[in-house]
Amino acid sequence: QVRLVESGGGLVQAGGSLQLSCAASGIISSFTAMGWYRQAPGKQREFVARITGGGSTNYADSVKGRSTISSDNAKNTVYLQMNSLKPEDSAVYYCAALRAIPGGWRGDYWGQGTQVTVSS
């Protein structure tokens, strides 16, 4: 069983930065990838960023150039550095342990989420 715990969310002004952390109780390197997703009120959960075991990264267009996902396998922790934050980045951010499936990715384990609020 893998347990994921996010932290680092909070209230920040537009243009500011936050670093989210996702601490895993299991060994994250055993998964194909780790990812960050977000869900704003009234909206569906959406992909934010993903990092594979080999270090390859992918980002949603909405955060590309402003965010960096990284992992520290020794600490079983995944990070999401977000810069130049915008009010539309406000959401609950979830960490997920991902497994590759035909045509995409499946979240096998999810954290409880951390709230990010960006004020204008």
Side-chain angles (χ1 to χ4, degrees), residues 76-98:
N76 283 337
T77 302
V78 178
Y79 305 95
L80 181 67
Q81 175 69 41
M82 300 188 295
N83 302 319
S84 302
L85 283 162
K86 305 175 183 179
E88 51 264 44
D89 292 319
S90 297
V92 177
Y93 283 70
Y94 297 92
C95 173
L98 305 174

Side-chain angles (χ1 to χ4, degrees), residues 33-57:
M34 297 293 293
W36 285 95
Y37 292 74
R38 67 187 183 187
Q39 187 168 19
K43 296 186 177 181
Q44 289 189 331
R45 185 170 56 193
E46 63 176 5
F47 166 75
V48 177
R50 180 176 59 244
I51 185 167
T52 68
S56 297
T57 57

Side-chain angles (χ1 to χ4, degrees), residues 11-118:
L11 174 63
V12 64
Q13 287 189 333
S17 299
L18 280 176
Q19 185 182 60
L20 306 183
S21 299
C22 172
S25 60
I27 300 175
I28 61 175
S29 60
S30 65
F31 289 91
T32 308
M34 297 293 293
W36 285 95
Y37 292 74
R38 67 187 183 187
Q39 187 168 19
K43 296 186 177 181
Q44 289 189 331
R45 185 170 56 193
E46 63 176 5
F47 166 75
V48 177
R50 180 176 59 244
I51 185 167
T52 68
S56 297
T57 57
N58 291 89
Y59 298 91
D61 288 343
S62 58
V63 304
K64 194 174 296 182
R66 300 188 295 120
S67 298
T68 302
I69 187 172
S70 61
S71 65
D72 186 336
N73 289 348
K75 295 182 178 180
N76 283 337
T77 302
V78 178
Y79 305 95
L80 181 67
Q81 175 69 41
M82 300 188 295
N83 302 319
S84 302
L85 283 162
K86 305 175 183 179
E88 51 264 44
D89 292 319
S90 297
V92 177
Y93 283 70
Y94 297 92
C95 173
L98 305 174
R99 195 174 302 277
I101 60 173
W105 299 85
R106 182 186 71 198
D108 278 353
Y109 297 95
W110 294 85
Q112 83 290 348
T114 185
Q115 176 72 49
V116 172
T117 303
V118 184

